[in-house]
Amino acid sequence: DQQVKQNSPSLSVQEGRISILNCDYTNSMFDYFLWYKKYPAEGPTFLISISSIKDKNEDGRFTVFLNKSAKHLSLHIVPSQPGDSAVYFCAASALSELIFGQGTELSVKP
Amino acid sequence: DTGVSQDPRHKITKRGQNVTFRCDPISEHNRLYWYRQTLGQGPEFLTYFQNEAQLEKSRLLSDRFSAERPKGSFSTLEIQRTEQGDSAMYLCASSFGEGDEKLFFGSGTQLSVL
């Protein structure tokens, strides 16, 4: 049973446009959500997070939106840059561990 | 460099052999985690330590797997009698502790079992 799902394995966006990555979860007990970015042959690096008591958090070009009623979160990157090309994982905090989605590979084309 | 470091970066072994990986967390961090990632999947939780105490183990962690953090600093993950299904990226992460959900990951150890 996949508690955190990223249903789009890949996304291709033109440089300068908005990238929207989506994530759905099933467990209403999750209280914290995070996005990680991963380049090949490297470990995931933290990008941005949001507490379940908020519905939006912004950091520069990155904004995370949380819709608790729909159990859905999204990451917006605007404007997208070629260096943003990577695999993006959403994760949800459950007690002492993070549960990750399967990842979405973002490709930003010049 | 004060990040999480893992050694080795790559390990190729034959089925049935034992392997051991090492992780050095960020020095101020009390919690240390082990995750496993296979192709096309997100990292899957294996186990975590609060200082030297191993507080939780996933059901993914079979009896062939053992992790230690003897002095609350570095950690080792040993896999005995490796199987081809153990081939994966093994990731270590650390954090300050309870209430800090942000994990810092190392670059991982890529294990290939032939």
Side-chain angles (χ1 to χ4, degrees):
Chain A
D1 59 335
Q2 192 83 24
Q3 294 188 68
V4 179
K5 293 183 183 179
Q6 293 176 256
N7 292 317
S8 299
S10 62
L11 175 67
S12 184
V13 170
Q14 205 70 29
E15 182 179 6
R17 299 291 191 104
I18 185 171
S19 296
I20 300 176
L21 298 101
N22 294 302
C23 180
D24 297 294
Y25 61 95
T26 58
N27 189 343
S28 57
M29 299 300 290
F30 289 145
D31 59 359
Y32 206 76
F33 302 89
L34 305 90
W35 284 93
Y36 280 81
K37 177 179 178 179
K38 187 181 184 301
Y39 293 115
E42 294 183 13
T45 55
F46 171 77
L47 198 55
I48 192 169
S49 61
I50 187 167
S51 164
S52 61
I53 62 173
K54 296 187 175 182
D55 54 18
K56 177 182 175 181
N57 188 27
E58 191 172 353
D59 183 3
R61 296 185 299 114
F62 303 91
T63 302
V64 55
F65 295 92
L66 176 62
N67 182 334
K68 285 192 295 293
S69 61
K71 294 191 178 69
H72 177 85
L73 68 155
S74 61
L75 174 67
H76 293 208
I77 306 173
V78 55
S80 302
Q81 299 173 355
D84 296 329
S85 297
V87 178
Y88 289 78
F89 293 99
C90 67
S93 177
L95 299 175
S96 53
E97 64 182 88
L98 289 186
I99 299 174
F100 285 83
Q102 309 95 308
T104 297
E105 183 171 9
L106 173 65
S107 176
V108 180
K109 303 201 180 301
Chain B
D1 181 26
T2 57
V4 178
S5 64
Q6 293 187 244
D7 184 69
R9 291 293 306 273
H10 304 275
K11 179 70 177 178
I12 299 173
T13 191
K14 292 183 178 179
R15 189 177 54 185
Q17 297 293 305
N18 299 344
V19 294
T20 300
F21 311 140
R22 177 182 169 120
C23 171
D24 288 90
I26 293 172
S27 57
E28 313 90 73
H29 285 179
N30 296 319
R31 285 199 176 178
L32 184 148
Y33 299 77
W34 286 99
Y35 280 77
R36 181 175 70 185
Q37 185 178 13
T38 52
L39 203 59
Q41 299 297 317
E44 296 174 295
F45 171 79
L46 293 179
T47 187
Y48 90 94
F49 293 83
Q50 174 78 30
N51 299 313
E52 67 274 8
Q54 187 173 17
L55 296 187
E56 190 172 334
K57 292 195 286 188
S58 162
R59 54 186 164 80
L60 293 175
L61 211 65
S62 77
D63 292 344
R64 297 183 297 105
F65 287 70
S66 63
E68 294 182 346
R69 194 183 183 197
K71 297 182 180 178
S73 56
F74 73 92
S75 175
T76 57
L77 177 68
E78 181 183 16
I79 309 174
Q80 296 182 328
R81 305 181 303 281
T82 52
E83 301 173 356
Q84 288 184 325
D86 297 332
S87 295
M89 171 76 81
Y90 289 84
L91 293 162
C92 176
S94 67
S95 73
F96 282 104
E98 189 169 353
D100 178 27
E101 290 83 1
K102 189 164 71 179
L103 302 188
F104 293 82
F105 283 86
S107 297
T109 294
Q110 182 66 52
L111 173 66
S112 298
V113 182
L114 304 178

